Amino acid sequence: MRTALLQSSGHPGSIAGNLKVLDEAAGRAAAAGAALLAAPEMFLTGYAIGDGIGRLAEPADGDSADAVAGIATRHGLAIAYGYPERTGDQVFNAAQLISADGTPLANYRKTHLFGCFERDHFTPGEQPVVQAELGGLRVGLMICYDVEFPENVRAHALAGTDLLVVPTAQMHPFQFVAESVVPVRAFENQLYVAYVNRVGQEGEFDFVGLSTLAGPDGVARTRAGRGEELLLADVDPVLLAASREANPYLQDRRPGLYGSLV
């Protein structure tokens, strides 16, 4: 399945502007044969927008979700994107996956909030594994800091995730996560990881780019630089099956030894 990663910070504070960026990227991705387009963490509104997070937050089935569904339908590809989700008085740092026919497939709420900024603006999610079937693959969702907890990614592996999509707002000086941690997570869990980041200065944060799609062999199929980019790479189920056969980490686990971890 050809997968496109939109490395961009869009227009912080402007949902309309970000939908326009997403629409244009979806057109280019579809023209290149992509079946899935992934956008970064909080792409719909911007990340470092302070109280604008609460003001712009919407339900998972709100007007902006309808707009993204229209973009997906118009270009004929699935879209995963980050946004602030409102449920009553609570706001979650969320990511949603919408199919090529506009059907909502999965909605995930970030379980591990990073730093005071996120803890001040969001409620942590409580469901670690959220998945959907797409193009013959089991696609899982996770957000940024979540992927830095090995237990999180292992839970996805045990649940059969083939492609883990990780909308991200990775900032300086933690670029080693994109460069080193993400490929290792893909290898040790025998799955693909699509890690798609924001770029440039936004408020107090300097987002480092370096988006990547890493394979189960630990090799980056594509990697961005520090600017705005649309990346394309393939998720190959044949390679995935062969790699899992050659690297049977999940079968060789000894859970009885791991009780002290919890």
Side-chain angles (χ1 to χ4, degrees):
M1 181 173 69
R2 181 149 295 178
T3 301
L5 309 183
L6 173 58
Q7 178 167 287
S8 172
S9 287
H11 303 283
S14 173
I15 292 176
N18 293 324
L19 287 171
K20 184 175 180 180
V21 172
L22 190 66
D23 191 13
E24 187 274 337
R28 287 193 287 143
L36 170 64
L37 169 65
E41 180 176 3
M42 293 286 287
F43 182 76
L44 186 63
T45 61
Y47 181 90
I49 59 173
D51 292 340
I53 291 172
R55 178 172 51 84
L56 297 175
E58 297 183 22
D61 59 354
D63 291 344
S64 295
D66 289 343
V68 175
I71 293 170
T73 302
R74 183 161 57 254
H75 297 290
L77 82 173
I79 297 176
Y81 66 100
Y83 75 107
E85 179 196 356
R86 177 171 293 284
T87 301
D89 293 333
Q90 294 182 313
V91 176
F92 298 92
N93 185 337
Q96 183 154 212
L97 174 64
I98 294 178
S99 74
D101 66 4
T103 302
L105 296 179
N107 189 73
Y108 172 77
R109 297 166 173 174
K110 189 172 186 178
T111 55
H112 295 76
L113 301 181
F114 179 78
C116 295
F117 178 83
E118 290 193 7
R119 289 193 288 270
D120 286 345
H121 288 92
F122 300 109
T123 298
E126 297 295 335
Q127 187 174 353
V129 177
V130 173
Q131 301 168 308
E133 299 297 322
L134 183 68
L137 297 171
R138 187 169 295 180
V139 177
L141 295 175
M142 192 174 286
I143 299 175
C144 197
Y145 192 41
D146 290 329
V147 82
E148 298 175 39
F149 292 81
E151 302 90 342
N152 260 18
V153 187
R154 180 51 54 88
H156 268 275
L158 293 172
T161 294
D162 299 311
L163 168 62
L164 185 59
V165 178
V166 188
T168 294
Q170 182 64 66
M171 58 199 69
H172 178 82
F174 306 110
Q175 50 266 31
F176 65 88
V177 174
E179 295 169 339
S180 301
V181 174
V182 168
V184 169
R185 289 286 178 270
F187 179 69
E188 68 190 5
N189 291 288
Q190 288 300 295
L191 42 69
Y192 283 88
V193 179
Y195 187 81
V196 54
N197 199 10
R198 305 179 68 83
V199 291
Q201 195 75 32
E202 190 178 328
E204 63 185 284
F205 306 111
D206 181 14
F207 298 116
V208 300
L210 303 176
S211 299
T212 188
L213 193 148
D217 52 3
V219 175
R221 297 300 188 273
T222 185
R223 186 181 294 283
R226 300 299 183 94
E228 304 254 339
E229 289 188 51
L230 183 69
L231 304 177
L232 292 158
D234 292 327
V235 174
D236 182 356
V238 174
L239 183 146
L240 184 59
S243 185
R244 286 171 170 173
E245 180 70 23
N247 301 285
Y249 288 122
L250 300 187
Q251 292 88 338
D252 291 346
R253 292 171 68 247
R254 297 181 61 193
L257 300 179
Y258 311 148
S260 63
L261 295 179
V262 294

